[in-house]
Every structure is written in structure tokens, then in C-alpha cells.
Amino acid sequence: MKKALLVLALCPFAALATEPQQPACNAADFFQTQPDLTVGRVVDAGNVELMGERAGCLDTPQDGCHSGDEVEPGSSLVIGSRWNNYYCVQVLPPGKAVVGWAPEQRVMKTGHMADTDFSSWLGQWDGSAGRVLEILAKGDTLHLRMLPSSGKGEGTLIGSAEPTGDELFLGEEPCATRASLQGAKLVVTDNGQCAIGSASPGGVYSSRAAAQRMERMFEGLGNR
């Protein structure tokens, strides 16, 4: 009888221990803590007021829950975890790179709408703060390197692997990296053990080849 009472007494604590917790949502480790990141944008009219990390703010309205950051309609985003009716988002350039929770009805995911193939991975990819990634192919294997900020030189190998659809999982111990191909964007997350110099590979990168094709297209239109 005493054993049964002990089990009953412990059950509420076990339930509390396994209760889901609101995910992290901050700029410091955004690309290390957010799974399944997707690029997208803010939709509908009016600015979006982002919510902060304070516990309970996404459950019931409270004073001091807004982070103070507002995002304009049409702003580009990278979209992470969902909690209740909110998504954790980071604003992409040319907007201010702020992080917070945005109402789900104001967020549209667009990252996987574009058609891609094996060749879409290849070339150089430009990120923030002058970071440049390069992806080369040898057979069916992709080799991902971080180049010097000048974009010249051999750079540092992050890892080599065959892609699984639009996903690439790679890294050399202790580093583990995931790259997601989303049209002309490459979204890279890592486990926080992949710093190359003072830079982490985590972030959103734009295809240099796609940008150059767009420039040539506009030049052609201007010459007509």
C-alpha cells in the first residue's frame, strides 16, 4: 500500500518534468536552437510587434511582453519554432536583424516553393558579415567550405556528404551542420561546435549565381 501511495505522490512531479517548455527564441544562438528553419515573409497590412522570450507571454497577454521591435509588411524572415499561435522569427536584410515571436497569421513560409535540382547547390553563397560559403561537387558528393571574407582561397572544409533531397547533413567531429536548400537561399544550422575562426557557419546565405543571373536579366531589359 505504501508503495502505491509513493507512486501516486511522484506522478505529478513526473508530469511536470515532461511538460513541454516554450522553445528558446533569441539572437545569440538562433541558428543553433531552431529546428527546420524556413525562409518566408511578413504578410498583410500594418507592422508586426514582436513578442519577447518572457515565460507565459505566448499563453496570455501580459504587460511587458512586447520586445519593442516592429517588423514592416513584406519583410523577409527566417522562420523557426512554433509555440501556440506564434513563430520564432529573425528578420533578414535589408531589415534590422532582430529576433522575436510573431503571430502565425502574419507569417508566410515561402522557402520550399521554388524548384531546385542538384546543380542548384553549387557555387558561392553570400551571408552576413562578409561570410562566404562555397559548395563544389565531386560525383554525387557535395563539399561545403567556408571561404575567407575576400571570397578567395581554399577556405576551411565544413564537411562532405550526398544531399537528401533539399537537405544536406555534414560536419567533421565535433561539428554537425545541416544545410537546407530553399530556392536561391541556403539556410545553415549547426550544433554550436563549428566556429571557424570567430565565425559560425549558421545563417541564411544567398546564391551568388542566382544574383548574377538576375543582374544580367535586368541589364538585358535595360538595353531594350
Side-chain angles (χ1 to χ4, degrees), residues 179-197:
S180 175
L181 180 61
Q182 302 182 26
K185 299 290 186 183
L186 187 72
V187 182
V188 179
T189 57
D190 66 80
N191 63 351
Q193 303 295 319
C194 301
I196 298 172

Side-chain angles (χ1 to χ4, degrees), residues 13-217:
F13 294 99
L16 285 174
T18 58
E19 184 177 346
Q21 300 294 312
Q22 179 177 311
C25 184
N26 59 74
D29 54 6
F30 184 84
F31 290 96
Q32 285 75 47
T33 60
Q34 299 298 315
D36 301 322
L37 291 172
T38 308
V39 294
R41 59 187 175 86
V42 175
V43 294
D44 297 334
N47 289 356
V48 175
E49 290 186 277
L50 297 182
M51 304 287 277
E53 275 197 303
R54 179 176 163 183
C57 281
L58 306 185
D59 301 311
T60 56
Q62 303 176 43
D63 291 338
C65 281
H66 291 290
S67 68
D69 294 311
E70 295 189 4
V71 188
E72 296 179 353
S75 295
S76 296
L77 305 170
V78 56
I79 304 163
S81 298
R82 185 178 183 274
W83 185 259
N84 290 348
N85 298 318
Y86 293 84
Y87 278 109
C88 180
V89 303
Q90 183 181 92
V91 181
L92 295 175
K96 182 181 177 182
V98 295
V99 172
W101 293 96
E104 64 175 346
Q105 68 270 22
R106 298 297 310 275
V107 171
M108 176 184 287
K109 296 182 178 182
T110 61
H112 295 291
M113 293 182 178
D115 291 331
T116 56
D117 57 24
F118 186 83
S119 65
S120 302
W121 288 96
L122 306 180
Q124 293 186 349
W125 298 79
D126 295 309
S128 62
R131 294 178 303 164
V132 181
L133 296 181
E134 183 175 52
I135 301 179
L136 302 174
K138 292 184 180 179
D140 294 331
T141 300
L142 296 175
H143 302 264
L144 178 65
R145 294 180 180 274
M146 179 173 280
L147 299 182
S149 57
S150 63
K152 300 179 180 179
E154 186 174 335
T156 302
L157 180 68
I158 296 172
S160 303
E162 293 185 18
T164 303
D166 290 341
E167 303 291 334
L168 184 65
F169 299 91
L170 41 73
E172 302 291 338
E173 290 292 341
C175 168
T177 304
R178 175 189 180 188
S180 175
L181 180 61
Q182 302 182 26
K185 299 290 186 183
L186 187 72
V187 182
V188 179
T189 57
D190 66 80
N191 63 351
Q193 303 295 319
C194 301
I196 298 172
S198 60
S200 163
V204 178
Y205 296 79
S206 299
S207 169
R208 187 175 294 182
Q212 290 170 346
R213 287 196 298 270
M214 189 68 69
E215 288 179 6
R216 288 195 296 268
M217 183 184 73

